Each structure stands twice: as structure tokens, then as C-alpha cells.
Amino acid sequence: MPALNVEFSDRELEDLRQIAKERGTSMKALVREAAAADIARHRALQEGAEAFRRFFASHADEFAAAFPDDEPRAEGAGRAA
């Protein structure tokens, strides 16, 4: 399995040691779990944003009718000739 060397400050390293000890796990497992959780969170946010974009696009006319003041102005609208 590929590996990654990560540098921590002395304080961060001591905190990681303490947390790992409190949880009864290794520092390696603790850091891997944190990274995996962040990856899962990032993927979930991306999926949620994409679901929102699809929903918004499929209901664009309804949103435009409900919130006409939030619609972008047409190019050149309101300008005197």
C-alpha cells in the first residue's frame, strides 16, 4: 500500500500521541481514520452540491417565478439608448 510521510509540529505530535493513547489505538490508525473521514466528508459535500445543482436546474422556472428579484438582469436591460 502506498504511504505518505506527514510532518507535524512537536505540539501536534504530542497531542496525537495523547489522543491515540486515550482511544487505545495507534497514531498511524488515528491519522488514517481522520484522513479517511475527511475524504468521506469531501465526497459527501461534492455529491450534495451536485444533487442541489440538478434540483435547482430542473426547477429553474419555479425558482425564477418565486424569486423574480433574484433573477439576473437581461443584458442591456434598463439602459437608455
Side-chain angles (χ1 to χ4, degrees):
M1 180 183 296
L4 173 68
N5 291 327
V6 180
E7 295 180 14
F8 296 98
S9 69
D10 290 340
R11 174 66 191 262
E12 291 167 334
L13 202 54
E14 186 54 39
D15 289 345
L16 284 171
R17 281 190 186 101
Q18 185 61 36
I19 294 167
K21 182 178 178 181
E22 289 171 6
R23 294 185 185 179
T25 190
S26 68
M27 288 175 45
K28 183 176 180 178
L30 179 70
V31 171
R32 186 177 188 298
E33 180 182 310
D38 195 52
I39 291 167
R41 178 182 163 277
H42 181 75
R43 286 179 182 159
L45 288 172
Q46 286 181 319
E47 290 170 7
E50 182 56 35
F52 174 78
R53 282 191 285 275
R54 284 192 309 269
F55 177 82
F56 188 83
S58 67
H59 294 86
D61 292 339
E62 296 166 63
F63 281 108
F67 307 102
D69 293 341
D70 292 336
E71 285 298 298
R73 294 179 61 175
E75 190 69 30
R79 293 185 180 168

